[in-house]
């Protein structure tokens, strides 16, 4: 029994990440697990930096493996919100369904990484001047923000 408790403690300390689709799913999972939500807010049809970070950081397999590395101790849920400038009617319906309740918490400019608690309290963000332009530096900023949020 004590071995099971010891293993359980190690697994909890190691961290655990989940990737979801949209604010609704992300908040539900973060609330269920009682961990922070890290949101990537971008505009794929109008914001070039957001497009680059989406491709080279957010969806990059190597970056995801790095974030999921148990040694980092990140325990959070990750989701993205793609704010289109010229959405079709169908895209608007899909956006509204996936992101109901999103009220731009902590958002000042695009793109942005925002960490928040399941109750919507913003823990921190990297955006505008605080968001590095290079994908590698932006990935490091995402890891730093995620680790800080997980420690809260």
């Amino acid at each position: 029994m004590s071995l099971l408790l010891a293993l359980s403690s190690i697994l909890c300390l190691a961290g655990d990440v989940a990737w979801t689709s949209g604010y609704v799913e992300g908040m539900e999972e973060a609330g269920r697990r009682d961990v922070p939500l890290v949101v990537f807010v971008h505009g794929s049809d109008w914001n070039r930096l957001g497009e680059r970070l989406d491709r080279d950081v957010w969806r990059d397999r190597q970056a995801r493996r790095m974030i999921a590395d148990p040694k980092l101790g990140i325990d959070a849920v990750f989701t993205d919100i793609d704010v289109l400038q010229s959405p079709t009617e169908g895209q608007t319906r899909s956006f509204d369904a996936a992101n109901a309740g999103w009220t731009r918490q902590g958002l000042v400019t695009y793109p942005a990484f925002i960490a928040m608690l399941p109750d919507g309290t913003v823990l921190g963000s990297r955006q505008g001047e605080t968001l590095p332009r290079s994908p590698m530096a932006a990935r490091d900023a995402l890891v730093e923000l995620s680790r800080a949020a997980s420690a809260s």
Side-chain angles (χ1 to χ4, degrees), residues 15-27:
D16 187 24
V17 301
W19 298 85
T20 64
S21 298
Y23 185 73
V24 172
E25 185 181 335
M27 283 302 263

Side-chain angles (χ1 to χ4, degrees), residues 81-116:
I81 298 176
D82 187 3
V83 180
L84 300 176
Q85 186 173 30
S86 303
T88 65
E89 193 174 304
Q91 288 171 322
T92 298
R93 279 194 305 273
S94 292
F95 178 90
D96 290 347
N99 300 302
W102 169 248
T103 59
R104 300 174 49 115
Q105 292 99 312
L107 180 65
V108 176
T109 188
Y110 297 87
F113 297 125
I114 303 170
M116 62 183 66

Side-chain angles (χ1 to χ4, degrees), residues 32-150:
R32 185 182 70 71
R33 294 175 49 195
D34 194 27
V35 298
L37 176 67
V38 178
V39 182
F40 174 46
V41 188
H42 59 104
S44 66
D45 68 341
W46 59 273
N47 185 279
R48 288 186 184 183
L49 177 59
E51 288 178 59
R52 192 169 77 234
L53 296 181
D54 183 47
R55 180 189 65 237
D56 297 341
V57 177
W58 196 257
R59 299 191 190 287
D60 180 71
R61 287 182 187 190
Q62 183 179 353
R64 286 190 175 201
R65 278 195 303 270
M66 180 182 183
I67 289 167
D69 184 340
K71 292 178 209 154
L72 292 179
I74 296 173
D75 192 9
V77 174
F78 294 80
T79 198
D80 75 303
I81 298 176
D82 187 3
V83 180
L84 300 176
Q85 186 173 30
S86 303
T88 65
E89 193 174 304
Q91 288 171 322
T92 298
R93 279 194 305 273
S94 292
F95 178 90
D96 290 347
N99 300 302
W102 169 248
T103 59
R104 300 174 49 115
Q105 292 99 312
L107 180 65
V108 176
T109 188
Y110 297 87
F113 297 125
I114 303 170
M116 62 183 66
L117 295 175
D119 68 4
T121 302
V122 175
L123 297 170
S125 70
R126 295 298 298 266
Q127 56 188 308
E129 292 180 5
T130 68
L131 183 60
R133 299 305 187 237
S134 85
M136 287 183 69
R139 181 201 61 209
D140 293 344
L142 174 60
V143 168
E144 175 189 312
L145 177 66
S146 302
R147 289 184 76 188
S150 296

